[in-house]
Amino acid sequence: MHMDEKDMSHPHANITRSETSKEIYPAPCRNETRRHPLIHLNSKIQRDAVSTPLNESYLEALLNELQSMPRTPLAIYGLTLTRINELALICAGNYADSCEYAAAGDLMVNPAQVMVHLRGKPHPVLKVRHEKLTTQFKDAGKDEPSLIQWFIKNTIVEIRKKPILTQLYKMLTDSDIISGHYIEFTDRRMKQIADTMGFLSAWKVASVEEFHQKLKTAGPSETAFIQKALCRFDRGLFDEMEKDIFGFLREDHYRSRFIDM
């Protein structure tokens, strides 16, 4: 459904309100403080998208805010979840394209919080995120013939906070309302991020500066091949999801390709 700028700015203007809209807006009011929390969050996300740098801390704050809210109306909750997922994918893709492998890995595979329980110790120890366990605890097992064997026998590793894209993917698959096509597309883009990091790492570039320097010496066919290996994710789906939120507010039987219900 097409929406012009007037519709995007004022979802109440010149429209027939749906039952969902009436639930969210008990009385006609454009005062943002009286909006449903999901609409308020989406307004914030849309504003931030053009002014706030995407990073792990910001994405975690959005996800925490969403998890504190009621899950109704379900369609709008689901679209809010997919919009945060889009931002996380864009962020990880940007990191991969910029050769920021550790930052992309933090969003994809590196748990945000890991606690190590040591035998005989009353309290667990926080793992240093970007350090090997054997490096962090080398002194604890220094008198043992095998540090790895000592570690296996004397510690239990507990993941308390998974990477944000892992959290989001589980929420998508557990929701029962997010379309299978969107979940599959999310999976493909996560694999693309991993493939991009693998390609650039194999090409032996450690920074975006090195990448651009090597690109300058590449021929046309090689340049085209390299460009295809990058993520280059954009905000197309993110913006479409916002339009779908307003669609559900306008029509009782609105359909979104991201929502199955």
Side-chain angles (χ1 to χ4, degrees):
M1 177 181 293
H2 172 73
M3 291 187 178
D4 60 27
E5 290 183 3
K6 184 176 181 181
D7 289 332
M8 294 290 282
S9 301
H10 303 292
H12 302 343
N14 301 320
I15 63 174
T16 300
R17 296 171 69 209
S18 69
E19 291 304 313
T20 298
S21 174
K22 291 171 186 175
E23 288 177 22
I24 295 178
Y25 300 95
C29 178
R30 291 179 184 172
N31 183 342
E32 193 165 294
T33 60
R34 293 185 62 181
R35 289 182 176 181
H36 187 284
L38 286 172
I39 302 301
H40 178 82
L41 177 57
N42 274 282
S43 296
K44 174 181 180 295
I45 290 172
Q46 194 67 28
R47 288 194 307 270
D48 289 352
V50 296
S51 60
T52 302
L54 287 177
N55 56 46
E56 185 180 39
S57 297
Y58 172 72
L59 294 167
E60 285 184 346
L62 288 183
L63 184 56
N64 289 338
E65 192 169 350
L66 176 65
Q67 290 176 313
S68 71
M69 293 179 178
R71 295 188 57 181
T72 54
L74 267 177
I76 294 177
Y77 179 90
L79 285 166
T80 308
L81 173 61
T82 59
R83 295 191 84 207
I84 296 173
N85 185 64
E86 283 299 302
L87 291 180
L89 288 168
I90 291 168
C91 183
N94 288 345
Y95 282 145
D97 289 348
S98 301
C99 308
E100 297 184 52
Y101 307 127
D106 285 349
L107 298 179
M108 292 271 293
V109 296
N110 189 10
Q113 187 180 83
V114 174
M115 305 303 296
V116 180
H117 299 262
L118 296 165
R119 187 184 300 275
K121 301 292 183 181
H123 303 293
V125 177
L126 177 67
K127 178 189 176 296
V128 177
R129 194 172 190 189
H130 297 118
E131 188 171 275
K132 293 180 180 179
L133 285 168
T134 50
T135 300
Q136 182 176 347
F137 294 94
K138 64 181 185 299
D139 292 336
K142 62 183 178 182
D143 296 328
E144 300 295 323
S146 170
L147 177 58
I148 293 177
Q149 287 301 315
W150 172 89
F151 197 86
I152 292 172
K153 293 177 181 179
N154 291 278
T155 66
I156 297 175
V157 177
E158 175 194 6
I159 297 175
R160 289 194 178 173
K161 185 185 288 186
K162 295 179 180 179
I164 193 163
L165 273 169
T166 302
Q167 295 181 60
L168 286 163
Y169 189 81
K170 186 175 190 307
M171 291 174 71
L172 294 174
T173 55
D174 289 350
S175 71
D176 295 326
I177 63 165
I178 306 301
S179 74
H181 290 302
Y182 178 70
I183 292 173
E184 289 172 11
F185 189 46
T186 293
D187 187 56
R188 290 203 303 272
R189 284 180 292 169
M190 290 174 70
K191 289 176 180 174
Q192 174 63 54
I193 293 165
D195 288 345
T196 296
M197 288 193 289
F199 171 80
L200 293 176
S201 179
W203 203 36
K204 300 188 185 305
V205 289
S207 69
V208 69
E209 291 80 15
E210 286 185 20
F211 171 76
H212 288 302
Q213 285 298 320
K214 294 194 74 168
L215 202 58
K216 287 179 182 179
T217 62
S221 60
E222 187 180 10
T223 298
F225 177 76
I226 293 163
Q227 296 291 354
K228 285 184 67 174
L230 301 178
C231 297
R232 296 291 172 85
F233 300 151
D234 60 34
R235 279 178 38 190
L237 296 184
F238 173 82
D239 291 334
E240 182 182 340
M241 291 162 183
E242 185 198 34
K243 293 180 181 180
D244 283 353
I245 287 174
F246 292 143
F248 279 108
L249 294 177
R250 292 177 63 162
E251 301 176 18
D252 284 326
H253 303 293
Y254 186 83
R255 301 291 295 173
S256 167
R257 63 184 177 136
F258 309 109
I259 301 294
D260 280 343
M261 57 181 297

